[in-house]
Amino acid sequence: MSQSIQFSTPSRTPHLLHLPHSRFHRPLTSLSFRQFPLKYTSIRASSSPEERSVVATAVSTDTAAIDVDTVTEAELKENGFRSTRRTKLICTIGPATCGFEQLEALAEGGMNVARLNMCHGTREWHRDVIRSVRKLNEEKGFAVAIMMDTEGSEIHMGDLGGGESSAKSEDGEVWTFTVRAFDSSRPARTISVSYDGFAEDVRVGDELLVDGGMVRFEVIEKIGPDVKCLCTDPGLLLPRANLTFWRDGSLVRERNAMLPTISSKDWLDIDFGIAEGVDFIAVSFVKDIGVIAKIESIDSLTNLEEIILASDGAMVARGDLGAQIPLEQVPAAQQRIVKVCRALNKPVIVASQLLESMIEYPTPTRAEVADVSEAVRQRSDALMLSGESAMGQFPDKALTVLRSVSLRIERWWREEKRYESTPLQPIGSGFSDRISEEICNSAAKMANNLGVDAVFVYTKDGHMASLVSRCRPDCPIFAFTTTTSVRRRLNLQWGLIPFRLSFSEDMESNLNKTFSLLKSRGMIKSGDLVIAVSDMLQSIQVMNVP
Ligand SMILES: Nc1ncnc2c1ncn2[C@@H]1O[C@H](COP(=O)(O)OP(=O)(O)OP(=O)(O)O)[C@@H](O)[C@H]1O
Ligand SMILES: CC(=O)C(=O)O
Ligand SMILES: [K+]
Ligand SMILES: [Mg+2]
């Protein structure tokens, strides 16, 4: 027997919003437990797990009818539900990882999203990567989503010239930062700057920070378009590194603050991304593609709630954020952004310098492992590699570290039963949305209390799956959706294992079909305890796999 709760409200009827108050509550009073008449099986449920037994009639199986990647499948077969990783992993793709085999190695290693940073590389280069990822998805069944990160109007250095990938700046050296354009020959210790107003805006005495302070200079002289700077903190200059300047201890935000958030190049890149069908764009106003707000300026912190509400997700872009607020404020900002995203049900990514030392070394520092652990413990949806995977020497090892630390901390968190004490605030505006929310909250709570093996969620647009993910239940969430694009997008969210499956409005036949498909592939077994929710028929069902 399957036990179910079903809300007999006509779901998702917008006019329900305008009904008189008393009628709002009628659907809830008709809430009832009922025996779900399962045509295809007879199940005898009993109180003890050992006694739960199930007899199912044979169902024809079509193993091709469900899309799941080989890695997830192998992981589930080998280690079962409990061991699946909940935290999602994003890799920035660069020269170190753009080949088809390299991308495949990252996908095998657990990459859920491939990020393309439009600050670097040509459109042709990006197009090749996008097509390789698509090919990988088609051939191997992966659902790697593609996130295009736009350049934005930040001030940055140009390429270093001579095809160099870095240059060392030593203490006491004088470098020239200039708005002059160079073709091939560039004088030594000269860096071009992307922002025309740079030479006018800086003043002698200003402090110039490269890459949020990885290298520091002091402005000592201005000669027309050239600005002479004395290196005060030595370090590595990387091509197209971000530049900020500070005066009397504060960030200078004169004309650069007036630059549009989205530059004209960004708009062209966005058109390109839409044409190539990417899944997420970091900052923009396009429809159908998830928009991720990068939180990396002081202003974004003052308008945080509004920005996150208007976006499909957010990124704690600690690189630039750390250049705009004092470094010691970054951890608190991170915690706040993660918390607000969770409250508003938007996926959140923690990015930048997670394993920075692994650009050069095969082993992370203890401090880096502690930083990754903290992001996992905060239960952010995803962790992101930048230079580690784009141009580092150990991209696969860095991904392995993220994976193993995530798994370990997630397990520790479950074992310690660190349940939240503060309940999640309601977010839905319509009554039907509120019902979905309550169903998902209850399903997650029941899943924890009953120790179920998995929550199954059947969702057309992915919303119901995100509501279950938001509760961060102890068990994995199998999200079944009908389209490949929704499946890829769900791959960014905590705990969701997205499958593509065609299903109907009839939950009995959906369950029937799912059980037989997953069983035939060895991904679930008879007796596994499952809670199923769906957004077509607002219901919760608890059952053993027949
Ligand atoms: N497509 C690419 N082509 C060449 N190098 C790249 C590419 N993407 C990233 N990189 C290299 O990897 C480094 C780290 O990547 P990351 O995406 O963090 O860039 P970033 O320049 O620091 O800026 P952002 O603030 O946008 O993250 C870059 O500085 C660059 O050297
Ligand atoms: C990722 C990014 O843009 C940053 O950390 O600044
Ligand atoms: K960028
Ligand atoms: Mg940035």
Side-chain angles (χ1 to χ4, degrees), residues 92-95 115-117 119-121 125-126 149-151 154 165 211 238-242 294 296 319-320 352 384 386-388 390-391:
T92 302
I93 305 305
R115 168 183 180 249
L116 294 170
N117 189 347
C119 291
H120 307 279
W125 184 91
H126 290 287
D149 197 327
T150 53
E151 178 166 339
E154 57 174 22
S165 62
D211 221 351
L238 295 174
R240 309 181 76 79
N242 159 282
K294 292 176 74 181
E296 51 186 343
D320 286 309
S352 295
M384 187 176 110
S386 298
E388 302 92 330
M391 45 66 126

Side-chain angles (χ1 to χ4, degrees), residues 282-335:
V283 186
S284 64
F285 303 99
V286 279
K287 294 249 162 59
D288 295 313
I289 291 179
V291 177
I292 305 292
K294 292 176 74 181
I295 310 300
E296 51 186 343
S297 65
I298 301 189
D299 305 307
S300 64
L301 286 177
T302 37
N303 304 316
L304 191 63
E305 279 81 1
E306 276 170 273
I307 291 172
I308 291 174
L309 259 179
S311 316
D312 299 309
M315 183 194 294
V316 190
R318 304 186 303 182
D320 286 309
L321 189 60
Q324 298 220 353
I325 61 174
L327 279 182
E328 62 273 21
Q329 288 177 20
V330 174
Q334 171 177 324
Q335 173 143 333

Side-chain angles (χ1 to χ4, degrees), residues 431-462:
F431 190 61
S432 181
D433 285 344
R434 290 280 294 110
I435 294 176
S436 297
E437 222 173 286
E438 290 299 332
I439 287 176
C440 293
N441 293 348
S442 309
K445 194 170 170 215
M446 285 165 75
N448 290 349
N449 292 347
L450 298 173
V452 310
D453 296 299
V455 172
F456 282 16
V457 47
Y458 294 81
T459 174
K460 290 245 157 88
D461 60 4

Side-chain angles (χ1 to χ4, degrees), residues 190-208:
T190 303
I191 298 284
S192 60
V193 175
S194 68
Y195 165 54
D196 289 338
F198 174 74
E200 286 163 56
D201 283 1
V202 289
R203 291 194 205 149
V204 169
D206 282 355
E207 197 180 14
L208 186 68

Side-chain angles (χ1 to χ4, degrees), residues 264-406:
S264 48
K265 174 181 181 286
D266 291 344
W267 285 116
L268 294 172
D269 286 340
I270 288 166
D271 285 343
F272 163 80
I274 294 169
E276 292 294 325
V278 302
D279 302 290
F280 300 101
I281 293 184
V283 186
S284 64
F285 303 99
V286 279
K287 294 249 162 59
D288 295 313
I289 291 179
V291 177
I292 305 292
K294 292 176 74 181
I295 310 300
E296 51 186 343
S297 65
I298 301 189
D299 305 307
S300 64
L301 286 177
T302 37
N303 304 316
L304 191 63
E305 279 81 1
E306 276 170 273
I307 291 172
I308 291 174
L309 259 179
S311 316
D312 299 309
M315 183 194 294
V316 190
R318 304 186 303 182
D320 286 309
L321 189 60
Q324 298 220 353
I325 61 174
L327 279 182
E328 62 273 21
Q329 288 177 20
V330 174
Q334 171 177 324
Q335 173 143 333
R336 178 173 160 229
I337 298 162
V338 170
K339 221 172 153 178
V340 172
C341 284
R342 178 86 184 283
L344 299 176
N345 194 27
K346 309 284 181 170
V348 62
I349 303 159
V350 174
S352 295
Q353 298 184 340
L354 286 166
L355 297 172
E356 187 80 357
S357 76
M358 290 192 78
I359 292 177
E360 282 180 78
Y361 301 100
T363 318
T365 66
R366 277 60 175 158
E368 285 166 342
V369 171
D371 178 49
V372 172
S373 303
E374 178 60 10
V376 174
R377 205 195 51 78
Q378 290 173 348
R379 278 160 321 133
S380 52
D381 288 84
L383 307 176
M384 187 176 110
L385 294 176
S386 298
E388 302 92 330
S389 57
M391 45 66 126
Q393 293 185 49
F394 306 100
D396 298 319
K397 284 203 161 86
L399 186 60
T400 301
V401 171
L402 288 193
R403 202 180 58 221
S404 50
V405 175
S406 300

Side-chain angles (χ1 to χ4, degrees), residues 181-192:
F182 295 99
D183 22 345
S184 52
S185 58
R186 177 198 314 259
R189 291 186 196 161
T190 303
I191 298 284
S192 60

